[in-house]
Amino acid sequence: MAETTAASPKATSKKMRRQEAEALILAAAEKVFAEAGFGGATMQLIADVAGLPKANLHYYFPTKELLYRQVVQRIFQIWLQAADIFDQAEGPEEGIGAYIDAKMEISRRHADGSKVWASEVMHGAPVIQDYLETTLTEWTTGRIEVIERWITEGRMAAIDPRHLLYMLWATTQHYADFGHQIETLNGGAPLDDVQWEDAKFNIKTIILRGIGAIE
Amino acid sequence: MAETTAASPKATSKKMRRQEAEALILAAAEKVFAEAGFGGATMQLIADVAGLPKANLHYYFPTKELLYRQVVQRIFQIWLQAADIFDQAEGPEEGIGAYIDAKMEISRRHADGSKVWASEVMHGAPVIQDYLETTLTEWTTGRIEVIERWITEGRMAAIDPRHLLYMLWATTQHYADFGHQIETLNGGAPLDDVQWEDAKFNIKTIILRGIGAIE
DNA sequence: GTCTATACACTGATAGAC
DNA sequence: GTCTATCAGTGTATAGAC
């Protein structure tokens, strides 16, 4: 289906639609915020990465903080999306295993987002604090109940669900947040496909065996 | 033993010795860099926290980057000091167990330092890259050999030592770097003594059992 | 909607009195 | 060694032409 009228010269090609411009800016912002932090990032640099004049950024996102806020909220959504897998599972081996796979995939595909998230939390979550207190707290409580049920059913050892969750978050996100360190220890090269599979396999093996979900 | 001469009115009380002033500034800097990141930290704020005029900072540390560099290097030393424990052990249960205890203690006592370190690595290690390529790489290689020997001796399962180390780093440092998130999920209160012991115990249980070092 | 030019605030760093 | 006053540079944000 064509635009409202094909006669309009400012249809789709030259004039970017609002949504496209915003997505372009958000992508550039995520990259720059990840590399330089909120304080180190400049609107000028974000504009350069996006290939737009600086003033355009302020047209779509009035302030730097508002732009940052949107970036963080987007990441939080991705962070939560991996949660669904947890619920659909019928046991710890499947549920936690799939959760590790999903979070590792996020660390690989959205490394910049993960870093922005880490930075935000490290600095006391000035923007996302309300989400931590509501959405994240509720999600965590729900998952703790699931794990406790698995323990009661004798499908895994009686470990503290809270510390297990922290270990899952820490370990998977480490591959994004500390990716530079891992890359350096890997001889300067990013992990290849095989190494990522190795990482997933090792993590799953240690944790699932550690909680008594597998032999 | 008194100062060179007790007659000097600017002996010890009023006139801070160089070492003391530097330590005071470094402590304030670590706190501010941890809370705001390198870009977000200001020399003015560091000065305020240290209780000194801004110009004094530039007297002891000519530039902001040099001050930051010293903070990062100090943290790296603490990071490495926990390594010794690893070597003195005669098996994985003792060695890795003690290493977890030591790194958790660092996360608790030097949370700010851990955050500065995390931030530095996340942003591509602009200051500490040479240490990653030399000291850290050598340390890691040495520890991998130890773990491989333990595997050969049948004292633990055949997991990839590299990913085990990453898991150890990630999990222990998470309690410092994501301390704010953990605190929020703990009802807004920092972990108390018992909870820290719980954390250590759960981590050790899962990992040591996960690598087949204990039942 | 897009972009150039610019206002205004802040920051790192220094000069120079004490 | 310590501190006040200040400079030069940079950053966010906006005004206003197109």
Side-chain angles (χ1 to χ4, degrees), chain A residues 163-177:
Chain A
H163 296 297
L164 171 58
L165 286 176
Y166 298 159
M167 183 180 288
L168 291 171
W169 296 342
T171 304
T172 53
Q173 288 165 218
H174 183 83
Y175 283 82
D177 302 343

Side-chain angles (χ1 to χ4, degrees), chain A residues 33-37 39-40 79 115 117-119 121-125 129 132-133 136-137 140 157 159-160 162-164 166-167 169-171 173-175 177-178 180-182 184-186 191 195 198-199 202-203 205-207 209-212, chain B residues 33-37 39-40 79 115 117-119 121-125 129 132-133 136-137 140 157 159-160 162-164 166-167 169-171 173-175 177-178 180-182 184-186 191 195 198-199 202-203 205-207 209-212:
Chain A
F33 282 134
E35 286 173 0
W79 205 91
K115 287 176 191 171
W117 171 260
S119 189
V121 174
M122 276 204 320
H123 298 139
Q129 180 61 24
L132 294 187
E133 291 173 0
L136 182 65
T137 299
T140 304
I159 47 86
D160 187 326
R162 216 167 272 273
H163 296 297
L164 171 58
Y166 298 159
M167 183 180 288
W169 296 342
T171 304
Q173 288 165 218
H174 183 83
Y175 283 82
D177 302 343
F178 286 75
H180 177 79
Q181 179 173 287
I182 290 174
T184 299
L185 291 174
N186 193 42
L191 299 189
Q195 290 173 314
D198 272 1
N202 274 276
I203 294 168
T205 301
I206 296 174
I207 292 183
R209 187 160 50 195
I211 63 173
Chain B
F33 282 134
E35 286 173 0
W79 205 91
K115 287 177 190 171
W117 171 259
S119 188
V121 173
M122 278 204 317
H123 298 136
Q129 180 61 25
L132 295 187
E133 291 173 0
L136 182 65
T137 300
T140 304
I159 49 85
D160 187 326
R162 217 168 270 275
H163 295 298
L164 170 58
Y166 297 160
M167 183 180 287
W169 296 342
T171 303
Q173 288 166 216
H174 183 82
Y175 283 82
D177 303 342
F178 287 74
H180 177 80
Q181 180 174 287
I182 290 174
T184 298
L185 291 174
N186 193 42
L191 300 189
Q195 289 173 315
D198 272 0
N202 273 276
I203 294 170
T205 301
I206 296 174
I207 292 184
R209 187 160 52 196
I211 63 174

Side-chain angles (χ1 to χ4, degrees), chain B residues 132 151 196:
Chain B
L132 295 187
I151 293 173
W196 272 99

Side-chain angles (χ1 to χ4, degrees), chain B residues 50-73:
Chain B
L52 294 171
K54 191 176 62 163
N56 289 31
L57 270 62
H58 283 102
Y59 175 75
Y60 289 105
F61 303 92
T63 69
K64 180 185 175 183
E65 193 183 316
L66 219 70
L67 172 56
Y68 173 75
R69 194 179 286 270
Q70 301 244 4
V71 170
V72 172
Q73 285 173 351

Side-chain angles (χ1 to χ4, degrees), chain A residues 35-46:
Chain A
E35 286 173 0
F38 178 80
T42 66
M43 294 297 270
Q44 184 63 63
L45 185 54
I46 296 172

Side-chain angles (χ1 to χ4, degrees), chain B residues 77-86 98-99 102-103 106 139:
Chain B
Q77 293 309 317
I78 294 173
W79 205 91
L80 276 178
Q81 105 191 358
D84 303 334
I85 294 170
F86 215 116
Y99 187 57
K103 291 221 76 221
I106 291 175
W139 185 88

